[in-house]
Amino acid sequence: MKKDKKFYWTLFSSTLTLSAFTFGGGYVIVPLMQKRFVKDLKWIEEEEMLDLVAIGQSAPGPLAVNASIIIGYRMAGIPGALLTTLGTILPPLFIITLVSYFYIAFRENAVINALLFGMQAGVAAVIVDVVINMGMTIVKDKRLLPIIVMILAFIATAIFNVNIVLILFISGAIGAYTTYRVNLLNTKEES
C-alpha cells in the first residue's frame, strides 16, 4: 500500500471523524474503527483487529486512544501513531473545552439532561453489540479453550467481582502459554 499524502489524510480523517461523532468511549468507537479499517478500507484483517483491540484494552489509558495508537503504528509506524492519536483526541478536547465553559447551563438544563440520558441507552446498545460481535468471533473459531476462558472471565467479573487486572493477566498468560505450546508443536512437526 502506497503511503502518500492521501493515505495519511485518510488515516487521520478516519480517526478524527470517528472520534468526533462517537459518544460513549472506547467500547463504542472500537466497532466503528473495525468497520472503517477492516471492512471499508480493508487495511487490517478482522482477527488482527481483535488482537490490536485486546492490546489496547490491556494497556493503561483510554481504549479509544490506545486502539488508535496501535492501529496508526501498525499502518504507518510512528507518524501513523501520531496522526491517529491526534485525530482521536482533538474532537473530545474541543468538545469538553466548549462544554466546560457552559457547564452550569448544561447541568441545569432539563433538555440536555434528557438528551444525555437517552444517549446512555444508545451507548449501552452499542456496547452490547461489541460484546456479541467479539464473542461470536471467538466462538466461530471453534477452539474450546478461548471459549472457556471467555465464559470464566465473564463469570469472574459479573458474579465474583474479580479485579479486571487479574482477569486480564490470567487470560493473557493462558493465551501466551497456548500460543507458545502450539508454536512448539509446529516446530517439532517441521523438524
Side-chain angles (χ1 to χ4, degrees):
M1 149 181 3
K2 187 178 176 188
K3 293 183 177 142
D4 55 4
K5 287 181 182 179
K6 184 180 179 194
F7 169 82
Y8 287 109
W9 173 251
T10 303
L11 193 60
F12 172 75
S13 64
S14 294
T15 54
L16 181 78
T17 305
L18 290 172
S19 184
F21 298 105
T22 304
F23 294 93
Y27 292 105
V28 176
I29 200 171
V30 164
L32 299 174
M33 283 180 166
Q34 181 179 13
K35 182 182 181 307
R36 179 70 177 148
F37 293 110
V38 174
K39 295 178 181 167
D40 296 346
L41 296 172
K42 297 182 183 355
W43 286 354
I44 302 173
E45 296 294 322
E46 179 110 20
E47 190 171 317
E48 184 180 11
M49 183 68 178
L50 287 174
D51 292 341
L52 297 175
V53 170
I55 293 167
Q57 187 175 12
S58 62
L63 176 58
V65 175
N66 291 348
S68 292
I69 291 169
I70 293 168
I71 290 169
Y73 187 80
R74 161 66 177 79
M75 296 311 305
I78 292 175
L82 292 173
L83 279 174
T84 54
T85 302
L86 189 62
T88 302
I89 64 172
L90 279 179
L93 179 66
F94 177 74
I95 292 167
I96 294 300
T97 302
L98 187 63
V99 167
S100 69
Y101 284 115
F102 302 103
Y103 175 71
I104 299 300
F106 283 158
R107 187 181 65 172
E108 304 296 327
N109 189 314
V111 173
I112 298 294
N113 284 330
L115 177 71
L116 293 173
F117 187 72
M119 287 171 58
Q120 288 176 2
V123 168
V126 171
I127 291 172
V128 168
D129 180 58
V130 171
V131 170
I132 290 170
N133 286 335
M134 291 179 83
M136 292 308 291
T137 302
I138 291 170
V139 171
K140 282 180 189 175
D141 286 347
K142 296 180 183 174
R143 291 183 16 223
L144 189 59
L145 185 60
I147 294 169
I148 292 170
V149 169
M150 178 178 66
I151 292 168
L152 291 177
F154 175 77
I155 291 169
T157 303
I159 297 172
F160 298 110
N161 294 321
V162 176
N163 188 320
I164 189 70
V165 174
L166 182 60
I167 291 170
L168 288 172
F169 178 76
I170 292 170
S171 299
I174 291 169
Y177 173 74
T178 55
T179 301
Y180 172 76
R181 191 166 161 214
V182 167
N183 288 339
L184 187 65
L185 291 173
N186 289 340
T187 304
K188 285 184 180 179
E189 287 177 3
E190 291 173 2
S191 301

